[in-house]
Amino acid sequence: MTDWINGDGPDNDIVLSSRIRLARNIKGMPFTDQLDGQGAARVIDMIKEAIQHNPVLARDFNLTVLKDISPLDARVLVEDHLISPALVERRKSSAVFIRKDCRVSIMVNEEDHIRMQVLLPGLQLEEGWDLASKIDDVLEESINYAFNENMGYLTACPTNTGTGMRASVMVHLPALVLTNQFNRVSQALNQLGLAVRGIYGEGTEVVGNMVQISNQLTLGKSEEHIIESLKGMTKEIINKEKQTRDALVSGNRTVLEDKVCRSYGLLTKARIISSRELMELLSDVRLGMDLGLLTGINRRDINEIMLESQPASLQKKAGKQLSDTERDVFRSELIRKKLG
Amino acid sequence: MFCDRCGKNPAVVHRITTINGKKKELHLCKECAMQEKGMIIDNPFSINALLSSLLDMGGETPIKIEKLDTVKCSQCGMGFTEFKKTGKLGCDECYASFRDRLLPLLKRVQGNTRHSGKIPKRIGGSLRIKKEIENLQEELERAVKAEEYERAVELRDRIKSLKEGSK
């Protein structure tokens, strides 16, 4: 289980997690989608050797070959944010090395040969880059990367070329959404070259006031530069969200308390809860906890509910396939067990 | 609000037209809107489609594009037409084979065509230093423009020592 769910980390009342993703390819090899089965197996072997070459990595990483696990288990890995849906789409030829603490996963044969991801709790972009870059250095000792002096790390899609890096933060912005300021913030971020998305990544809408912010461009700026500006903007947003939260509490304390407690009531008493409703209720409860309006709840429980009540994870827990309605019922039971 | 046509589904597409001062409103569900003339429903947005359409922009004549489209990658054999369809290149060598067509695309998509980030250690120290000097020089220009003279002096000294060290 990923450790960001413990809910620690700097600025944890607003930033859930920070993520660094690096795209790398092997020099002289066709990119993943042009590889035949043999070629794909060779790529996995090369990365396996590179990891085994280093005693620390060899000790800390476990290999999962996607075609060897059930489709349900693969979906659970996606829901845990350890692999991407694009890796599952290529399940015939893809694999992933996951570090034991689940902070790092190295996906093999995703859109690029290597997609490394570091996921840390709270606002820790620099720490994430530092870790990703170190592992990158180790891999590079054994693997000759596709790299060009002018265009940087070469990737299957030109939108990733250069640093091959996508840095992102997952932030919870209930006050900005509630006061209708979020759209303006989102527009400003777009103008500054940052992408704003829902919790499930590209093309998803904002659910439960959870927003993912990431850099759009990968060429022309250094990794440190990209991270610095993303971090700076995140800090701005944190401040704005905090100010708005304070204003809400001092201006409409009872109204806010009512909203938060109603949601808590529904969460702990309802018998059928859809995943969308859950995300909305959890957002209120999270806000109530952050502002001290609700006591006796901890961040870990909230994060655990968010992860474990996703469709595949629920069915894994239930040990059988569940229909939509059965899932909504089972979800409510799981929540009552945690919060009840 | 329900669909004006079928009355069954919620209306998700709204059109308000004003002709000669007369306002007309039409509210339709997705299914009915698809059949309505003049209503355009966006398909799910695809980055690949966008990339391909960016490739066709710019001043080149169609004839020139056709000529270039027969270009194939010397390593993996992918044709440029295929890249235009999928938005994905075949291998690292494609970047060299399609260089002339990719550079304007990168400029449009990324706003830049020069990498200034990490360099693999394997590529060698001299390139790293060369790149670092280039980056520092850019920073120096910015510092001078912003009249941050202390920072400029600091940067100038660092550039000087890097240059001397690499000789």
Side-chain angles (χ1 to χ4, degrees):
Chain A
M1 186 65 83
T2 40
D3 75 343
W4 63 264
I5 65 161
N6 289 332
D8 326 319
D11 295 302
N12 64 354
D13 52 345
I14 290 166
V15 185
L16 268 82
S17 60
S18 303
R19 193 178 74 116
I20 301 288
R21 189 220 69 195
L22 298 181
R24 300 287 188 256
N25 285 286
I26 301 167
K27 191 179 165 69
M29 272 252 197
F31 292 147
T32 303
D33 290 345
Q34 304 297 319
L35 280 177
D36 55 16
Q38 251 182 340
R42 234 183 92 213
V43 171
I44 297 177
D45 282 343
M46 285 170 87
I47 291 153
K48 197 169 159 186
E49 271 167 39
I51 288 174
Q52 278 166 353
H53 183 73
N54 179 288
V56 180
L57 295 196
R59 189 194 62 203
D60 291 346
F61 280 86
N62 289 322
L63 168 66
T64 303
V65 177
L66 268 279
K67 64 170 189 281
D68 294 345
I69 61 172
S70 71
L72 183 68
D73 284 340
R75 271 163 55 213
V76 171
L77 289 176
V78 173
E79 289 180 356
D80 285 349
H81 299 280
L82 288 171
I83 63 173
S84 65
L87 192 79
V88 182
E89 275 165 33
R90 295 173 175 85
R91 50 177 300 127
K92 276 188 193 151
S93 54
S94 61
V96 59
F97 294 86
I98 300 175
R99 203 166 88 163
K100 282 177 185 144
D101 63 4
C102 291
R103 287 185 166 209
V104 189
S105 42
I106 302 170
M107 290 179 264
V108 184
N109 291 329
E110 214 243 31
E111 185 180 299
D112 295 297
H113 294 145
I114 301 174
R115 285 281 178 103
M116 188 201 306
Q117 159 190 293
V118 174
L119 188 65
L120 298 178
L123 183 58
Q124 298 196 70
L125 288 166
E126 284 123 332
E127 292 81 352
W129 161 241
D130 195 50
L131 180 55
S133 184
K134 275 186 186 139
I135 297 172
D136 184 46
D137 288 343
V138 173
L139 293 184
E140 191 218 310
E141 282 170 20
S142 322
I143 294 168
N144 209 347
Y145 281 150
F147 181 86
N148 170 294
E149 182 181 338
N150 292 312
M151 291 185 268
Y153 292 93
L154 305 176
T155 52
C157 187
T159 51
N160 291 312
T161 288
T163 60
M165 184 185 77
R166 201 72 63 189
S168 68
V169 288
M170 182 79 74
V171 286
H172 181 227
L173 306 174
L176 289 177
V177 174
L178 197 67
T179 53
N180 293 324
Q181 295 183 79
F182 175 68
N183 282 342
R184 277 207 337 261
V185 172
S186 167
Q187 276 165 15
L189 288 172
N190 279 326
Q191 277 167 2
L192 291 163
L194 296 173
V196 180
R197 302 182 174 123
I199 188 164
Y200 300 110
E202 219 165 306
T204 60
E205 54 170 339
V206 174
V207 183
N209 306 322
M210 286 291 176
V211 180
Q212 194 181 315
I213 306 169
S214 62
N215 63 303
Q216 265 166 339
L217 304 181
T218 54
L219 189 59
K221 277 190 192 164
S222 70
E223 291 84 352
E224 289 82 4
H225 227 105
I226 294 171
I227 284 169
E228 203 184 283
S229 63
L230 177 59
K231 188 184 171 186
M233 283 316 298
T234 308
K235 286 263 183 204
E236 289 284 319
I237 292 169
I238 292 172
N239 285 338
K240 199 141 180 64
E241 169 71 21
K242 277 190 175 154
Q243 282 167 11
T244 315
R245 286 183 185 187
D246 290 345
L248 281 174
V249 176
S250 57
N252 313 290
R253 191 184 170 96
T254 314
V255 177
L256 197 62
E257 227 165 6
D258 179 66
K259 182 176 166 60
V260 163
C261 293
R262 272 171 193 273
S263 294
Y264 184 66
L266 275 175
L267 207 53
T268 47
K269 294 290 177 227
R271 294 302 195 255
I272 301 171
I273 301 181
S274 72
S275 56
R276 201 194 169 88
E277 186 183 13
L278 170 76
M279 287 302 288
E280 281 157 11
L281 296 176
L282 272 186
S283 172
D284 289 346
V285 169
R286 198 185 281 276
L287 178 68
M289 175 185 66
D290 290 338
L291 294 174
L293 301 172
L294 281 173
T295 49
I297 303 167
N298 69 56
R299 215 172 282 283
R300 193 191 157 88
D301 284 340
I302 304 237
N303 289 341
E304 256 177 22
I305 290 172
M306 191 169 85
L307 275 193
E308 290 175 8
S309 65
Q310 298 175 95
S313 307
L314 266 187
Q315 296 183 62
K316 178 85 188 159
K317 218 176 170 81
K320 58 175 183 194
Q321 254 201 324
L322 301 171
S323 71
D324 282 3
T325 330
E326 283 171 334
R327 251 185 259 160
D328 293 351
V329 172
F330 190 65
R331 181 175 293 118
S332 81
E333 285 169 17
L334 184 117
I335 297 165
R336 286 202 305 282
K337 251 181 229 157
K338 283 250 190 295
L339 297 178
Chain B
M1 185 191 299
F2 283 90
C3 173
D4 290 345
R5 271 292 125 75
C6 65
K8 275 186 251 161
N9 303 318
V12 290
V13 181
H14 312 276
R15 183 170 68 186
I16 300 167
T17 40
T18 314
I19 299 170
N20 296 332
K22 253 179 97 180
K23 201 168 141 193
K24 244 174 86 183
E25 288 188 30
L26 184 63
H27 308 281
L28 298 176
C29 69
K30 198 175 166 196
E31 284 71 34
C32 294
M34 297 239 244
Q35 284 154 21
E36 174 73 15
K37 237 174 110 187
M39 284 260 191
I40 298 159
I41 304 262
D42 269 342
N43 285 320
F45 184 76
S46 127
I47 188 114
N48 300 338
L50 182 75
L51 273 183
S52 331
S53 66
L54 275 171
L55 275 168
D56 288 331
M57 276 168 40
E60 293 95 346
T61 63
I63 300 158
K64 196 179 167 196
I65 291 170
E66 250 169 49
K67 231 168 121 188
L68 268 162
D69 277 354
T70 60
V71 172
K72 280 196 178 346
C73 171
S74 58
Q75 184 171 275
C76 71
M78 181 184 269
F80 195 72
T81 343
E82 208 183 327
F83 166 65
K84 277 174 66 179
K85 262 186 230 146
T86 62
K88 282 184 195 133
L89 293 158
C91 70
D92 51 348
E93 191 59 29
C94 288
Y95 278 91
S97 302
F98 305 142
R99 193 170 182 276
D100 296 345
R101 294 291 271 143
L102 280 175
L103 282 179
L105 174 76
L106 284 172
K107 181 89 193 150
R108 278 190 205 118
V109 176
Q110 300 262 12
N112 208 314
T113 54
R114 208 184 116 256
H115 175 60
S116 64
K118 186 173 176 174
I119 294 166
K121 285 208 183 81
R122 192 186 280 266
I123 306 283
S126 61
L127 176 63
R128 270 167 181 266
I129 291 165
K130 198 177 117 196
K131 282 271 176 188
E132 196 178 345
I133 291 174
E134 278 175 24
N135 290 342
L136 286 172
Q137 242 144 11
E138 269 176 28
E139 234 177 281
L140 176 63
E141 273 169 40
R142 276 201 299 271
V144 172
K145 261 190 204 148
E147 302 188 2
E148 293 169 7
Y149 295 114
E150 275 176 31
R151 171 125 185 88
V153 170
E154 204 180 287
L155 286 166
R156 189 202 59 202
D157 291 348
R158 263 172 68 198
I159 294 170
K160 207 173 142 202
S161 74
L162 275 175
K163 275 185 178 162
E164 276 164 6
S166 66
K167 261 176 204 165

